[in-house]
Amino acid sequence: MFEAVSSFSPNYSCTVSIENVSMGDYQRNYDPFVESFEETPLLVAVLTYMGYGILTIFGYLRDFLRDWKFEKCHLAREREEQKDFVPLYQDFENFYTRNLYMRIRDNWNRPICSVPGAKMDLLERVTPDYNWTFEHTGNVLKDVINMGSYNYLGFAENTGTCADAASECTVKYGVGVSSTRQEIGNLDKHEELEILVARFLGVESSMAFGMGFATNSMNIPALTGKGCLILSDELNHASLVLGARLSGSTIRVFKHNNMQSLEKLLRDAIVHGQPRTHRPWKKILILVEGIYSMEGSIVRLPEVIALKKKYKAYLYLDEAHSIGALGPRGRGVVDYFGLDPSDVDIMMGTFTKSFGAAGGYIGGKKELIDYLRLHSHSTVYATSMSPPIIQQIITSMKCIMGEDGSTLGQERLCQLSENTTYFRRRLHEMGFIIYGNNDSPVVPLMLYMPAKIGAFGREMLKRNIGTVVVGFPATPIIESRARFCVSAAHTREMLDKALNAISEVGDLLQLKYSRKNRHGNEGSDSFSFLESHQD
């Protein structure tokens, strides 16, 4: 098992009193930076490849039967009279969808009919044709424990202060704005939100956008272009990847959270410059995430900032999953490490997770935000954010900051930290291989084999637990997984019920692959090693 240990990570204590939390105290208390990435057992890897091989062989056999009309194909295909034209549908590109994804398609796109809180209601559906189509039975699966939504602080709710404030805002402003910010869609609520976000982040200015994905994909092209270099973590989100590609910049990828790999790319960029001409790069921009949503790992931000300063590069930090979920004050990974927000050039995050709303933001220096207001496609062409969504963000953010006159926000931050620690520790003790940082509420549990992806999701739903399962191409082919998202809204009873179900299904499907001894004792496996980084 690989455990990376560094002295950067702080150990903050949970307290209900907001006045007791200070950055000075936070910086003086440190815990080892522990991340778990246990190597795939050799036998499991071999069996996983064999499973995909068998599925591929049967897929080609079924395609042969479809070509000879022995089996009906439900996907869109070219008509016979169009075969001499340029194809609209690439048959081979749909091979995975037709023959592998369709077998387990029932695990995704399940319709819910309630608030996606700690518990939710699911519409029951059945398939008469092996997942090609679905029919709703009219029945509702009640009180399914929700272990898949990014509801980290439990603000996705239809009762309470946030819901009441959003309702009042809807009555006053309506639901839609029907214009862009640059025309007549700039409300006083937008201004209030951006001032609050800047204060929350500790930066000079901020800007809000109606869609989290577009915050990355539409703003990175406004920041870099031809003659610029983007250094991107290999596990960055698709929105960061798309934004980098749309920018026209040269893109180089460094190994996940590997500072040696990043420094090598930075050094080479400085020494060699641009290809062919060897002129210096106009800009060098480093793209990283706070919490990586598929790995559960936390960026080594102090080391990234040190490299950024050393080589005079710019840093773009995506805090979609870390804002609100990390740090003693819920201010994200910068708060978690006790760093100065001004050391991060572009601070990006979303309101879709911890705040229970929608949209995203970018924070930084006033000059940066003023530039984006004029050059960002998300500002010029996108419709303004809906007023009730703005109010949901404002109310939940003030709650986290303690400006609502209560300690509810601090209590939820503490509860999320406790739930995360408990959930991860119990899974380790059961013998599962889980990835990520000990403080990350994103908990990937490794499934590996393709047949177990669908089986795990179905068996968990039978036990009234809603989970998210993920496979290739969203993950490496032999690293399929279930991804749990811990919430402050989960009670200990809910977590125990979910853990008991996970253990039961783990025994049924033989998923307890960890080579560590149970109850957290280290085994003697030769693949287990510890890497320490001291100050």
Side-chain angles (χ1 to χ4, degrees), residues 11 27 101 155 187 280 315 329-330 357 377 389 416 436 529:
N11 175 25
Q27 289 172 329
Y101 168 72
F155 284 116
L187 305 180
L315 176 59
R329 303 175 303 165
H377 288 81
I389 291 177
L416 175 61
F529 62 95

Side-chain angles (χ1 to χ4, degrees), residues 192-241:
E192 180 185 352
L193 173 62
E194 291 175 346
I195 293 171
L196 180 64
V197 170
R199 192 154 51 84
F200 182 73
L201 298 175
V203 296
E204 293 180 8
S205 185
S206 76
M207 188 173 180
F209 304 89
M211 181 181 178
F213 190 98
T215 305
N216 279 332
S217 61
M218 294 290 100
N219 283 296
I220 293 175
L223 297 171
T224 64
K226 189 175 181 182
C228 298
L229 175 65
I230 291 178
L231 302 180
S232 177
D233 189 290
E234 65 180 348
L235 297 182
N236 273 341
H237 190 262
S239 60
L240 290 169
V241 175

Side-chain angles (χ1 to χ4, degrees), residues 157-168:
E157 51 194 359
N158 56 2
T159 59
T161 307
C162 291
D164 294 341
S167 298
E168 293 174 8

Side-chain angles (χ1 to χ4, degrees), residues 43-56:
L43 179 60
V44 175
V46 171
L47 292 176
T48 302
Y49 280 120
M50 288 178 61
Y52 276 106
I54 292 170
L55 286 172
T56 302

Side-chain angles (χ1 to χ4, degrees), residues 329-341:
R329 303 175 303 165
R331 312 287 170 97
V333 70
V334 175
D335 188 28
Y336 176 77
F337 286 108
L339 301 171
D340 186 350

Side-chain angles (χ1 to χ4, degrees), residues 485-506:
C485 291
V486 182
S487 171
H490 290 137
T491 63
R492 184 58 60 90
E493 291 74 22
M494 291 179 192
L495 293 178
D496 284 337
K497 181 179 178 181
L499 286 163
N500 291 335
I502 294 168
S503 181
E504 184 180 332
V505 175

Side-chain angles (χ1 to χ4, degrees), residues 176-186 190 379-385:
V177 181
S178 303
S179 183
T180 67
R181 292 284 299 275
Q182 288 194 351
E183 294 171 344
I184 57 171
N186 190 32
H190 293 107
T379 306
V380 179
Y381 301 110
T383 303
S384 301
M385 189 183 293

Side-chain angles (χ1 to χ4, degrees), residues 397-412:
M397 190 173 290
K398 286 184 176 180
C399 181
I400 296 170
M401 298 169 73
E403 295 184 1
D404 63 338
S406 75
T407 59
L408 179 61
Q410 191 66 26
E411 290 172 0
R412 293 195 183 198

